[in-house]
Amino acid sequence: MKKLTMILSSLVLAFGLSACASDYVMTTNTGQIIISHGKPVLDKETGMTSYVDQDGNEHQIKSDEISEMVEK
């Protein structure tokens, strides 16, 4: 019984943590739509915005090329 409770608790925790990351939709000046998994991060020194796409690949785009960013 203790083992079953432990397994169920672990599953609930795993699903709860995976739901915390929201997707963001970015629109570029050219009209391209980019969907990122999690909030994109702005690097003020380089002027680049880093994001992870839905396949888990990390990308960067110039921040001044982004016209809009909204949480999905």
Side-chain angles (χ1 to χ4, degrees):
M1 183 68 174
K2 210 175 201 182
K3 197 173 204 175
L4 179 62
T5 305
M6 224 25 189
I7 291 172
L8 288 176
S9 296
S10 297
L11 287 174
V12 169
L13 181 63
F15 285 119
L17 289 176
S18 66
C20 290
S22 297
D23 289 342
Y24 281 75
V25 178
M26 296 182 286
T27 306
T28 66
N29 297 332
T30 61
Q32 179 184 7
I33 296 174
I34 301 169
I35 299 175
S36 71
H37 182 69
K39 187 172 184 177
V41 178
L42 169 65
D43 184 352
K44 291 182 180 180
E45 286 185 19
T46 62
M48 301 291 281
T49 298
S50 300
Y51 66 94
V52 177
D53 67 13
Q54 292 180 321
D55 295 328
N57 301 315
E58 190 169 334
H59 300 276
Q60 287 187 329
I61 186 172
K62 289 183 181 178
S63 297
D64 58 355
E65 292 180 7
I66 300 171
S67 61
E68 184 179 23
M69 183 185 317
V70 293
E71 187 174 1
K72 188 174 177 185

